[in-house]
Amino acid sequence: MRRVKIHLIAAARPNFMKVAPLYHALKGEKWCCPMIVHTGQHYDPEMSDSFFADLNLPQPDFSLEVGSGTHAEQTAGVMVAYEKVCLTQRTDWVIVVGDVNSTMACAITAKKLCIPVAHLEAGLRSRDMSMPEEINRLVTDAISDILWTPSPDADENLLKEGVAPGKIVRVGNIMIDSYEIMREQIEADPIIETLKLPHHGYGVITLHRPVNVDDENTLKSLINVLIEASKIMPLIFPVHPRTRHSMEKYKLLDAVNDATGLYVGEPMGYISFMCLVSKSKFVISDSGGIQEETTYLNIPCLTLRSNTERPITLTHGTNKLVDQHTLLDNIDNIIKGKWKHGARPDFWDGHTASRVVKSLRMMVPK
Ligand code: UD1
């Protein structure tokens, strides 16, 4: 029997932990041959290579090396490069994950070559069309043949948009699979001792959304609030390249380095970062995935955004949307123990990859 060829599109930091469990699960199947396509949207060693190492991923089968650029440049670059791959070495299926530019670019490219596309983490909606990710989600879901969703709200969104019910399969949250696969190593990681941090006696910050870090005044006042917050409890801040560029451009690095409770560093690998989060008192972030990981770990999450495409983390989990003005009061509440306990949503259980494999197998002729 000929093995079914499957391209898994990896591209940017949040995608690697979505691709890894699925790659490992598909690799163990006799009927298929999974291949990793790295578009190169993230390329710094600490934004890419360290995740491949931490998650035991092999070198990509195809490296497109597209790199940074405007949205049009990056999206177009991925489409042109990926089309060449598909034309020379045709695949039977393309699996895209998440909502980054490469997700949409590869979905469009494959679909126009009549290659079936499956989207893992389908159906999430922020209803905020100023977010590039919302556009990527809408386009990708509109053309995908299978929509693997993480939560009931995602199913409902797709049904309201007119997606045929037969295309929607609730599989759960794939990132929890990564956490569970790596749990032993995460728990044993020495990062807390290395940084001399008290267990559950510090906060973690991540920031990279254009709405928070691209504008000088917004970033400046946000950094001032974070410096204030660091006087209440030590804060660890691994800085994303986009944010570091802005901090350099607006000359904010000195103020941050002078703040004694604020530890600024490079982006971290998956294992150390998840260890840091799992032993923290709270997380301040504008990330998508961290809202979910903190809900799973029952760690309070203060999300610096006015909306979220992951509302289940608000209704069931430990997440709350905050702004610069409400951040300090919320930290105070967490420290006083006034915070909700999260419940884990259904199917956020470490077995999402096997549900995806089962669903895909049903689409492939025996
Ligand atoms: C991208 C995703 C976002 C995701 C985020 C996680 C889109 C539209 N955005 O945003 O959804 O949450 O990744 O990190 O797809 N840079 C480097 N080294 C790298 C990568 C980027 O220095 O390895 C710099 C470049 O100057 C680049 C900037 O960071 O212009 C932003 O990178 P980009 O991939 O465009 O967007 P992110 O902000 O990372």
Side-chain angles (χ1 to χ4, degrees):
M1 187 182 73
R2 187 179 79 83
R3 286 182 178 231
V4 175
K5 285 190 201 163
I6 302 170
H7 283 180
L8 286 166
I9 310 298
R13 186 168 65 172
N15 283 12
F16 304 136
M17 41 281 207
K18 297 171 194 171
V19 161
L22 189 50
Y23 175 81
H24 294 305
L26 289 169
K27 198 72 192 158
E29 296 287 317
K30 290 201 173 65
W31 56 273
C32 69
C33 169
M35 282 172 276
I36 295 179
V37 180
H38 191 337
T39 66
Q41 180 169 344
H42 284 173
Y43 44 84
D44 283 354
E46 64 272 21
M47 296 293 284
S48 177
D49 303 1
S50 79
F51 286 82
F52 271 72
D54 277 3
L55 297 162
N56 294 319
L57 285 171
Q59 287 297 311
D61 296 276
F62 304 97
S63 292
L64 308 186
E65 295 180 8
V66 170
S68 302
T70 64
H71 284 276
E73 284 166 350
Q74 195 173 57
T75 307
V78 172
M79 289 179 72
V80 171
Y82 186 51
E83 187 179 51
K84 287 189 183 130
V85 171
C86 291
L87 288 174
T88 49
Q89 305 204 33
R90 197 175 171 89
T91 181
D92 298 302
W93 275 90
V94 175
I95 298 179
V96 295
V97 302
D99 56 15
V100 302
N101 286 342
S102 303
T103 305
M104 177 183 73
C106 290
I108 295 174
T109 305
K111 226 21 221 174
K112 290 206 169 182
L113 293 171
C114 299
I115 301 168
V117 175
H119 184 202
L120 178 55
E121 199 187 87
L124 298 182
R125 298 288 181 268
S126 67
R127 321 241 172 259
D128 177 356
M129 291 296 276
S130 69
M131 283 181 81
E133 294 82 359
E134 184 72 355
I135 299 165
N136 295 340
R137 290 188 279 259
L138 282 162
V139 173
T140 304
D141 286 345
I143 60 174
S144 291
D145 300 276
I146 315 180
L147 297 135
W148 289 312
T149 63
S151 48
D153 55 288
D155 300 6
E156 282 160 29
N157 290 334
L158 293 170
L159 291 170
K160 274 190 215 144
E161 287 167 20
V163 173
K167 286 183 173 182
I168 305 169
V169 185
R170 175 117 54 86
V171 291
N173 191 327
I174 192 77
M175 291 216 304
I176 306 307
D177 287 34
S178 271
Y179 185 83
E180 286 303 331
I181 291 168
M182 307 307 298
R183 178 189 277 277
E184 259 180 52
Q185 287 177 65
I186 291 169
E187 287 175 354
D189 193 83
I191 187 77
I192 309 295
E193 291 73 30
T194 308
L195 295 177
K196 299 190 173 55
L197 294 166
H199 277 231
H200 299 290
Y202 62 92
V204 179
I205 306 171
T206 81
L207 277 184
H208 74 280
R209 295 266 161 226
V211 67
N212 282 327
V213 307
D214 283 4
D215 173 70
E216 180 171 4
N217 289 332
T218 308
L219 183 60
K220 213 176 216 171
S221 53
L222 191 48
I223 293 287
N224 284 336
V225 176
L226 294 174
I227 290 173
E228 280 309 302
S230 72
K231 293 174 187 163
I232 309 174
M233 195 170 258
L235 297 177
I236 314 302
F237 186 7
V239 183
H240 186 283
R242 173 189 278 279
T243 312
R244 186 169 288 277
H245 291 171
S246 289
M247 284 163 69
E248 278 164 7
K249 187 164 145 199
Y250 305 139
K251 303 194 177 9
L252 296 170
L253 279 174
D254 283 349
V256 166
N257 287 329
D258 287 350
T260 47
L262 191 55
Y263 300 91
V264 191
E266 296 302 316
M268 284 183 185
Y270 178 73
I271 292 173
S272 295
F273 183 72
M274 288 317 301
C275 176
L276 199 62
V277 168
S278 67
K279 294 175 184 174
S280 70
K281 185 79 177 168
F282 59 86
V283 177
I284 302 169
S285 178
D286 57 11
S287 150
I290 291 170
Q291 297 173 56
E292 300 178 332
E293 287 159 337
T294 46
T295 276
Y296 185 69
L297 295 168
N298 202 20
I299 301 282
C301 183
L302 301 169
T303 298
L304 279 163
R305 286 174 50 185
S306 57
N307 54 54
T308 177
E309 61 290 330
R310 293 160 161 93
I312 200 161
T313 61
L314 302 175
T315 52
H316 289 58
T318 54
N319 187 23
K320 186 173 177 189
L321 301 181
V322 298
D323 60 27
Q324 303 189 11
H325 309 288
T326 55
L327 186 70
L328 294 178
D329 283 347
N330 278 294
I331 292 176
D332 204 41
N333 282 339
I334 292 168
I335 289 170
K336 287 182 180 143
K338 293 190 210 158
W339 206 258
K340 52 185 175 174
H341 273 272
R344 288 176 176 173
D346 290 345
F347 289 169
W348 292 27
D349 56 2
H351 301 295
T352 291
S354 62
R355 284 187 283 267
V356 170
V357 172
K358 203 168 143 202
S359 160
L360 189 61
R361 183 73 184 105
M362 282 163 61
M363 298 294 286
V364 169
K366 302 274 183 317

